């Protein structure tokens, strides 16, 4: 069975920020590291070449495919930061409505800067996502 391309590495989170984050993004990256470390109780780890992840969980699909992924994390994607969360529930959707300027994909929350957001709402979104992932995958 194929292994996941995105795995925890020994890569440097600081070097990743130095390479990818703009001067304007760097304070937001540092703030996200502090928040996500506090919420997960885990340090920042580089997953693959471009995800700063926190914590980990193991999953197994009905197909038998299994793997490991970070509980939450974020990446620098050009002019945006992408925070990886589970935001499908009605409660999470209601929080998103009050978050501030963002766009959302299936599990990707795209933001240009934290100043555009209600950071308390972001924290609640991430905390709920972590709790749901832990509940679902043990």
């Amino acid at each position: 069975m194929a292994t996941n391309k995105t795995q925890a590495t020994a890569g440097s989170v600081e070097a990743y920020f130095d390479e990818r984050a703009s001067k304007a993004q760097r304070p937001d990256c540092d703030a996200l590291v502090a928040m996500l470390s506090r919420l997960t109780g885990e340090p920042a780890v580089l997953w693959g070449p471009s995800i700063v992840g926190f914590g980990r969980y193991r999953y197994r699909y009905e197909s038998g495919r299994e793997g490991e992924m970070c509980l939450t994390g974020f990446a620098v994607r050009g002019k945006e930061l992408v925070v990886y969360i589970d935001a499908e529930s009605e409660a999470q959707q209601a929080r998103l409505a009050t978050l501030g300027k963002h766009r959302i994909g299936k599990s990707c929350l795209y933001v240009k800067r934290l100043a555009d957001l209600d950071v308390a709402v972001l924290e609640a979104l991430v905390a709920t996502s972590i709790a749901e992932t832990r509940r679902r995958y043990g």
Side-chain angles (χ1 to χ4, degrees):
M1 193 166 283
T3 60
N4 287 350
K5 292 180 184 178
T6 305
Q7 296 183 25
T9 72
S12 167
V13 171
E14 290 299 316
Y16 168 73
F17 291 154
D18 289 345
E19 180 183 317
R20 299 267 180 105
S22 69
K23 238 180 184 180
Q25 289 172 320
R26 188 56 191 256
D28 286 350
C29 290
D30 293 339
L32 284 169
V33 166
M35 177 192 293
L36 300 180
S37 290
R38 183 172 41 76
L39 291 173
T40 61
E42 301 287 341
V45 173
L46 197 61
W47 285 71
S50 62
I51 295 174
V52 179
F54 302 81
R56 59 182 68 214
Y57 69 96
R58 290 205 58 78
Y59 61 85
R60 182 180 174 98
Y61 296 131
E62 288 181 19
S63 67
R65 186 179 192 299
E66 57 185 288
E68 188 173 68
M69 191 57 190
C70 53
L71 279 171
T72 190
F74 73 99
V76 179
R77 300 278 189 247
K79 294 182 180 184
E80 294 179 304
L81 298 175
V82 181
V83 181
Y84 299 104
I85 60 170
D86 177 346
E88 294 181 9
S89 72
E90 285 183 32
Q92 290 287 75
Q93 291 295 310
R95 286 185 185 98
L96 285 170
T98 66
L99 178 62
K101 191 173 180 181
H102 72 280
R103 61 188 179 92
I104 189 85
K106 179 157 177 66
S107 62
C108 301
L109 174 67
Y110 299 89
V111 301
K112 292 199 179 192
R113 55 189 193 173
L114 295 183
D116 292 337
L117 308 177
D118 181 330
V119 178
V121 173
L122 176 61
E123 188 167 324
L125 281 161
V126 174
T128 301
S129 174
I130 292 166
E132 176 58 20
T133 301
R134 284 179 171 153
R135 183 198 65 75
R136 188 178 301 145
Y137 296 102

